[in-house]
Amino acid sequence: MKIAILGAGNVGGALGAAWARAGHMIAYGVSEPGKPAHAAVAAAAGGARVGTVADAVRDADAIVLAVPWGAVPAAIAACGDLAGRIVLDATNPLTFENGALSLSLGFDTSGGEQVTALSKGAHVFKTLNQVGYEVMADASGFPTPPTMFVAGPDGAAKQTVLRLVADLGFAALDAGPIAISRLLEPHAMLWIHMAMAKGAPRDGAFALMRKTGAAG
Ligand SMILES: NC(=O)c1ccc[n+]([C@@H]2O[C@H](COP(=O)([O-])OP(=O)(O)OC[C@H]3O[C@@H](n4cnc5c(N)ncnc54)[C@H](OP(=O)(O)O)[C@@H]3O)[C@@H](O)[C@H]2O)c1
């Protein structure tokens, strides 16, 4: 598939390289095309195109938001009409206060719901926000594949997103509608807390495991 990734930083770079290995075509949309750092990211993603956000999304089958939370409104606005498009929202609405990262909103709304409101008519899915970029770059090597929840509207678009997430090596799991972002963003915050405050490895991930021999 043709995947537009908005943001060529840690997350954008990791996802682009991993999806390129799985056979997808990547185009990056950035606010300032031409920065020297983009060349290595593009090369690692199979020789990806790097351009404006409008260029990247033009012929994309799926669009991934991988920009800082504060840049989300500008990145979405730069896409133009998103009606009917598939948007994967990998962002977390983080703020830095009193020396620590925390969520800037919740628990009666969520970043995923705000992205949905901004992306008029798009099929928006909260996913790929739940582990560090190191795991997104390479989800292999775990005793059981790490779980990656997907929250968003039911239908063909959700099946596409579940496949794209599985192509990265995750156990992709449908978590329900976009309002479940209210749970998935704090779930990401737990991962961040464990990594930043409790010494958990940045290449660690959570997995919803089944007992050996469980039916179904
Ligand atoms: N880091 C993680 O492990 C992790 C894990 C899960 C989720 N997330 C979430 O993923 C998002 C990205 O995190 P990150 O660590 O990848 O950040 P990052 O390394 O700072 O990269 C952000 C990228 O977004 C680009 N950007 C900024 N404003 C833009 C705009 N208006 N339009 C297009 N591109 C724009 C930046 O371009 P410039 O380089 O030109 O500034 C940069 O390439 C955040 O919302 C974060 O909460 C991060």
Side-chain angles (χ1 to χ4, degrees):
M1 295 186 81
K2 293 180 183 165
I3 305 173
I5 303 180
L6 309 189
N10 294 320
V11 170
L15 292 176
W19 270 322
R21 285 198 305 275
H24 297 290
M25 275 181 62
I26 309 300
Y28 285 105
V30 293
S31 46
E32 286 178 57
K35 276 192 178 174
H38 297 151
V41 174
R49 218 164 81 213
V50 184
T52 64
V53 168
D55 279 343
V57 303
R58 191 162 294 126
D59 59 350
D61 301 306
I63 299 165
V64 181
L65 268 179
V67 300
W69 178 243
V72 162
I76 292 175
C79 290
D81 183 9
L82 282 172
R85 309 296 293 277
I86 297 176
V87 175
L88 284 70
D89 172 18
T91 68
N92 281 309
L94 298 179
T95 184
F96 195 72
E97 277 173 8
N98 302 324
L101 277 175
S102 60
L103 291 172
S104 63
L105 53 88
F107 299 90
D108 53 1
T109 185
S110 62
E113 288 160 279
Q114 295 203 357
V115 168
T116 300
L118 290 169
S119 311
K120 296 208 180 341
H123 309 286
V124 175
F125 299 88
K126 171 65 66 175
T127 189
L128 298 172
N129 67 313
Q130 299 146 47
V131 294
Y133 69 89
E134 295 89 341
V135 184
M136 300 187 214
D138 182 4
S140 70
F142 293 94
T144 189
T147 300
M148 182 56 69
F149 295 106
V150 174
D154 287 338
K158 183 177 259 181
Q159 297 312 312
T160 299
V161 173
L162 287 164
R163 268 197 310 278
L164 284 175
V165 171
D167 284 349
L168 295 167
F170 290 103
L173 205 53
D174 178 4
I178 194 66
I180 297 301
S181 304
R182 298 176 193 187
L183 304 180
L184 298 186
E185 289 161 9
H187 179 59
M189 203 61 229
L190 175 63
W191 187 97
I192 293 167
H193 166 75
M194 292 307 294
M196 294 186 74
K198 301 301 291 177
R202 283 200 54 97
D203 61 357
F206 299 123
L208 190 61
M209 288 181 279
R210 307 208 62 182
K211 283 192 175 185
T212 309

